[in-house]
Amino acid sequence: MTWDEDRAGAVVRRALARVEVPPSRVDPGAVLITIRRAERRRRRLTVGIAAATVFAIGLGSAVALGGDGRGRGMDEPVDRPSPGPTETRAVPTVDQVRVRVSESPADCTTEQYDTPDDAYFPSLGAVDPSGRFLAGTSPVGDWRRKGFRTYLVIWDRGKANLVELSRAFQATVTAINSAGVAAGNRWDGDNRPDVPWVYRDGQVRNLPLPEGYRNVRAVAVDDAGEILGVAGGNGEKAVLVRWDAAAQTPPRVVTDPFGTFLGWAPDGTITDSVSLTRETAAVRISRPDDGTVVRPAAPGWHSRRDAQLQGNWLAGTVWGIGAEKSSPAQWNVRTGRLTVFLGLDTHRLDTVFTDRSGRLLVSTPTRGWFLVEPDGTARPLPKTLTGKGPVWSLFFDDAGRIYGGAVDENGRQWPVVWQCR
């Protein structure tokens, strides 16, 4: 077997290992959780008041999630409160808004960014809040001649720059700040863990790992260049770690345990999604003063696993309301209000995005993409925004500009930015 064939086989094995297998009636994760809980009960005489409160609310707000909540943007059930005082709020108040579809398309201007010839199918991963920098990754165009490798693609005001991620068979970029500092993760080979990396001053280097953790993912970078990551290892639950701006030393653990990352606000507030029980989802908001608010989700709430907060808004869908299989929805995690938009059926696909002002971008399998205003007015996106194929990897900057990708009839992809009034 040649070197390229061997690496190709490694990629295939890696991809197969990541394919989700439909769960059987026996849930190994639930069994493991039950065993751990039994051991904890043996060691403890009572359960903390905060945990009991969370459990009680969870029984009254069952959410239609499958299995242990994985695949719905939720982590393993929470069995102990976060450090600091914890306040558990009530299930969200649900408002219903009837969608009114306009025949006129949304008034949008578009701009297409160039893609370097050597970047094959660039996949967008992040946009900085100001909109200056856009980041993505791409496999090499001519892999038969150049071998397997991956590029980091940074667009600065629309101009692309390629940086090779050496030894990376697969890579993702997860965040970029307004100074062009990017962070992400890469896979270096078969039986190797994912490695977090940082891009700064035109160079990419690996981030030092926290002691005792093998699987570490970078998830966010702030304006000062500090980086958040999620680490797991030795069968324990995930913890949140933080690298300083220099990123020369291993990160420190700042939260234990941690769910699925949702957002990191400029004031230091960190938001993650968790499961209160196997059936009950929630959002946990951890403030810098160590105060924590836990907001249980409404019944039927679903969100993408990679969904992130835009301001106070989280986009998702709700099942079981109205005549649709699933309706687009937005959850204000600060006020606790959930708004469900009836009249657009996403057919249980999590194709709903939101900007900081609360506008939704919704894709339906039969009717295409719509821009939905908070009052329910829905306008179709102009066809020129999507080329001959679908829009993919949607992101927003603080000004409400939308960043995604288009693919033409020949399969070529490129980034597109548009602003809709």
Side-chain angles (χ1 to χ4, degrees):
M1 180 175 290
T2 67
W3 180 81
D4 276 351
E5 290 172 339
D6 183 52
R7 300 189 95 175
V11 172
V12 172
R13 291 192 297 273
R14 175 73 167 185
L16 289 175
R18 290 185 171 183
V19 173
E20 295 186 3
V21 179
S24 65
R25 293 182 180 274
V26 178
D27 187 342
V31 173
L32 179 59
I33 292 168
T34 301
I35 293 173
R36 288 177 177 172
R37 286 179 174 171
E39 177 64 17
R40 281 191 290 271
R41 284 195 296 268
R42 185 183 67 79
R43 293 196 301 262
R44 299 174 184 173
L45 296 178
T46 187
V47 179
I49 295 176
T53 304
V54 165
F55 181 74
I57 290 180
L59 291 178
S61 59
V63 176
L65 295 177
D68 64 356
R70 291 185 180 277
R72 298 296 185 191
M74 303 299 162
D75 201 54
E76 293 183 356
V78 172
D79 50 23
R80 55 177 167 152
S82 299
T86 299
E87 177 186 1
T88 302
R89 302 288 176 86
V91 174
T93 300
V94 179
D95 297 325
Q96 296 183 15
V97 174
R98 174 61 60 178
V99 171
R100 301 180 305 278
V101 177
S102 171
E103 297 297 330
S104 301
D107 182 12
C108 305
T109 59
T110 64
E111 182 181 0
Q112 176 183 316
Y113 289 172
D114 289 335
T115 298
D117 292 338
D118 206 26
Y120 182 73
F121 279 21
S123 176
L124 303 186
V127 61
D128 90 87
S130 72
R132 171 179 173 177
F133 294 101
L134 186 65
T137 56
S138 174
V140 68
D142 188 357
W143 64 269
R144 292 184 180 275
R145 182 170 59 88
K146 298 183 178 181
F148 287 102
R149 66 183 67 181
T150 302
Y151 289 116
L152 169 66
V153 190
I154 303 289
W155 285 268
D156 182 354
R157 295 189 177 95
K159 183 178 180 180
N161 180 46
L162 286 181
V163 180
E164 184 175 345
L165 292 167
S166 61
R167 292 183 53 82
F169 293 173
Q170 297 174 356
T172 57
V173 55
T174 53
I176 187 167
N177 69 7
S178 56
V181 177
N185 309 283
R186 62 183 174 186
W187 176 60
D188 291 348
D190 202 17
N191 297 321
R192 299 283 298 277
D194 288 343
V195 177
W197 53 262
V198 60
Y199 167 80
R200 181 183 284 112
D201 299 327
Q203 295 184 339
V204 174
R205 61 181 177 85
N206 289 347
L207 290 167
L209 301 182
E211 184 178 356
Y213 294 94
R214 177 176 171 84
N215 297 306
V216 185
R217 295 178 295 106
V219 295
V221 57
D222 69 4
D223 284 342
E226 295 200 351
I227 301 169
L228 288 185
V230 178
N234 302 324
E236 297 299 325
K237 291 183 178 180
V239 299
L240 190 71
V241 298
R242 185 169 182 169
W243 290 270
D244 60 26
Q248 299 287 344
T249 58
R252 64 188 185 276
V253 175
V254 293
T255 302
D256 177 16
F258 193 74
T260 300
F261 176 79
L262 292 176
W264 187 17
D267 67 357
T269 298
I270 296 171
T271 306
D272 63 328
S273 62
V274 295
S275 292
L276 304 182
T277 69
R278 290 185 62 239
E279 294 81 20
T280 306
V283 166
R284 180 173 53 191
I285 306 167
S286 303
R287 299 184 293 261
D289 60 1
D290 291 334
T292 299
V293 172
V294 176
R295 288 196 177 278
W301 167 260
H302 291 252
S303 65
R304 304 186 325 276
R305 189 170 182 83
D306 64 343
Q308 292 198 11
L309 281 176
Q310 289 288 331
N312 295 314
W313 299 102
L314 187 64
T317 59
V318 172
W319 300 6
I321 296 181
E324 295 81 22
K325 291 183 179 180
S326 60
S327 301
Q330 55 184 191
W331 185 6
N332 189 312
V333 298
R334 183 181 63 83
T335 65
R337 300 190 73 86
L338 178 72
T339 304
V340 180
F341 293 85
L342 302 179
L344 290 178
D345 194 347
T346 66
H347 291 263
R348 297 186 177 178
L349 298 176
D350 294 321
T351 51
V352 182
F353 302 82
T354 186
D355 66 11
R356 297 176 65 88
S357 67
R359 293 194 305 179
L360 289 180
L361 196 60
V362 180
S363 175
T364 62
T366 58
R367 305 172 69 182
W369 287 89
F370 290 89
L371 184 66
V372 183
E373 301 292 340
D375 65 359
T377 302
R379 297 173 293 166
L381 288 178
K383 295 296 183 181
T384 53
L385 293 180
T386 60
K388 298 295 184 180
V391 172
W392 40 268
S393 302
L394 296 177
F395 302 91
F396 298 86
D397 65 18
D398 286 351
R401 288 182 290 263
I402 306 168
Y403 300 80
V407 55
D408 63 17
E409 64 274 14
N410 297 318
R412 185 188 176 191
Q413 299 183 20
W414 60 83
V416 174
V417 54
W418 62 94
Q419 187 166 13
C420 303
R421 293 179 287 275

